[in-house]
Amino acid sequence: MPSREVTLNVAKLPKKALIAGIATILFAAGGTAFAEIVSPSPVTSPSFNGSVYAVAYRGSTVYVGGAFTRAIVDGRNVERTRLAAFDSRTGALLDWKPSADGNVRALAVDGDTVYAAGDFDRINGESRDAIAGIGATDGALTALRHTVAGQPNALATGHGRLYVGGRITAVDGVPRTNLAAFRTESGALDPWAPTTDDTVNALATGADRVYLGGSFHRANGLRSTLRLAAVHPETGALDPGFRPKPVSQVLALAAAADGVYAALGGLGGRAVSYTREGATRWTRVFDGDAQAITVLGGIVYVGGHFDKACTTTNNGVQGVCTDGSLARGKLAAVDPQGNLLDWAPQANGVAGTRSLAASPELGSVSAVGDFTTVGGLPRKRYAEFGVVARRAESARATSDFVASYNFDTTIADGTFDDGSGRGHLLRAVARNGGALRLVPHGAGQALRFPAKCTGAACPRLVLQGEAAPDLNPGARPIRYGAGVLLSPAETSSGENIVQKGYSTGGGQYKLQVDGVSGKPSCGFGEDVVHLARSRVSVADGNWHSLECRRTGPTLSILVDGVLQSSVPVPATLAVNTDSPFTVGGKGAGANNDQFHGTLDDVWVHIG
């Protein structure tokens, strides 16, 4: 049967200026995206069969160290002896597998080197006493090799040095009192040698300081340096302008341009924000030790073995909150003013979260420790929380979008209006009796496509616009998405939601649902189409917000505001196609990758 255009007489509805549910994202200087706050739901990632003590990012790679001997991926045990790495964007375990014969307690990254410290005597079967440099891609040992008398348990890099803290008495027979440093270029022991009278638990480097935290009472012999001090990054001289007064031992630090954040233990843990002078900006109190801290986009993330966050700074016996509390199992988040946020992933266990790391590049936070579930999901000793977009609460300018469709407004001939104001109308193209159905959704309407069917005579229906040049992103950033309702019975081998162009003749960008599993993916490219595939299905009979995002060298997919996957793409890759923009399929032919569910709030943003 020949294809025919269907004209629908749909009653006009009041135009909505706002497309409800469109996700927005904040951008840092230089174009790096990060979330206002990460999702409380962890993405899919490897688990581990023993404690994980340390975590660090290098680009999209996550490195972990601990007491484990196996990584658990898709139910399979894979040998990884106290060190492992995986791709944050996909969750795939990488073939980086140096082995340590003792626990790894701290990690730091500098350039192409991952530094490890801990209880080990050998790495990859070679002698490395408590500290080692390891190639970030090949896992080979660097020339860094020293004899350390004592127990290092904290690392930080900066100013051309690897800084080490712990309970240390000498390096290569040269006296050191709990602190030492090595040159990152040569691996040689550096003259930097401040002292403390007790253990250093944490280090953090700033532009002109190295912060020291621990259980000590004096740094460089001065009494006014109780538990937290700052020293010069080259000379080790004490910075007299920094005079904090933490009430208990410092277990973790995170440096910022305007000060430092500290995680404290004691009878009820604390997260404290200090100015550069050491004045306290704010304090959050918990019913157990705060032993990990990091900052991303101004939000401070705290981990520990607490179960509750106190509503005031008062607590009593064994750290119990005396003025009320809120459930915060092992993880919490605090805004720049010190307000406790609703973010509450709820991890389990006793020791809980031991370390945290943040990636501004990915907009992600990683937590490691001894928990086995997070938010009721199995996450054994590692969890990663991806970017979640802040939803708009007021109308955004329609000029932000090059196309937007909420299916609530039509014009006289029954085509769907473009809420962006650019006039990119969508018209229904049908075959074999494919019928358009509008169904209630929220305060407006959504669009239901033909039911699942096999065979050449099945109904087909797509919405098609003109081949508008301003819908071509070229090599510029592009974001596009839709609201999707899909049941398990409506999945097929492949269903297109949004598409412009083909893999040849100018390239394409598209959003689709792949296979009966109902996992969506984003495609972008010419000749070779790069695909970012979600780790989760959306075929569960509920509404989901899907977003594709191409920014420079990265293509990502978000489901309900949560980053599910990212893949690299050439930064110069461009899409400029003469093909029309389509919704619900790539055409009305027999093999059109017909969508069988319900769509709402389709949108495209370029630039």
Side-chain angles (χ1 to χ4, degrees), residues 300-551:
V300 179
Y301 296 89
V302 186
H305 60 76
F306 50 81
D307 295 308
K308 298 176 181 179
C310 303
T311 55
T312 71
T313 56
N314 298 323
N315 61 356
V317 177
Q318 296 182 333
V320 173
C321 302
T322 57
D323 298 330
S325 63
L326 295 170
R328 292 293 186 273
K330 321 305 178 189
L331 291 159
V334 184
D335 74 10
Q337 290 73 46
N339 300 305
L340 185 70
L341 297 175
D342 290 338
W343 189 76
Q346 298 299 99
N348 70 341
V350 177
T353 301
R354 293 182 180 270
S355 185
L356 291 167
S359 168
E361 176 183 348
L362 301 174
S364 296
V365 171
S366 285
V368 299
D370 290 277
F371 49 81
T372 57
T373 66
V374 178
L377 299 173
R379 293 293 185 274
K380 293 183 178 179
R381 303 169 187 93
Y382 176 84
E384 185 171 12
F385 305 94
V387 60
V388 59
R390 181 184 60 174
R391 295 197 176 276
E393 295 179 358
S394 59
R396 301 182 63 201
T398 56
S399 60
D400 285 354
F401 302 95
V402 294
S404 61
Y405 308 96
N406 58 16
F407 306 119
D408 294 348
T409 305
T410 64
I411 60 177
D413 64 357
T415 59
F416 288 101
D417 199 2
D418 173 14
S420 76
R422 295 177 180 247
H424 299 311
L425 305 181
L426 288 180
R427 295 179 173 85
V429 179
R431 184 178 180 182
N432 298 346
L436 187 71
R437 294 179 60 191
L438 293 173
V439 297
H441 181 213
Q445 309 212 52
L447 186 60
R448 180 172 294 171
F449 285 81
K452 183 175 178 180
C453 172
T454 58
C458 288
R460 306 290 177 189
L461 175 72
V462 300
L463 300 184
Q464 183 171 295
E466 301 295 331
D470 64 343
L471 293 180
N472 291 330
R476 292 175 292 166
I478 180 173
R479 295 186 290 120
Y480 53 97
V484 175
L485 176 65
L486 193 67
S487 73
E490 292 173 330
T491 60
S492 66
S493 59
E495 302 185 25
N496 273 21
I497 297 170
V498 168
Q499 180 165 330
K500 191 175 196 299
Y502 298 90
S503 58
T504 57
Q508 71 173 201
Y509 61 86
K510 64 180 178 178
L511 169 61
Q512 61 191 15
V513 176
D514 297 327
V516 296
S517 64
K519 296 179 179 179
S521 68
C522 299
F524 192 93
E526 182 177 16
D527 296 329
V528 175
V529 177
H530 303 269
L531 291 176
R533 293 183 171 91
S534 170
R535 307 175 196 175
V536 299
S537 173
V538 295
D540 58 4
N542 297 309
W543 278 100
H544 295 280
S545 172
L546 306 184
E547 179 181 348
C548 299
R549 183 183 301 147
R550 185 273 172 99
T551 305

Side-chain angles (χ1 to χ4, degrees), residues 558-570:
L558 290 83
V559 176
D560 297 325
V562 179
L563 179 68
Q564 291 296 329
S565 175
S566 295
V567 296
V569 298

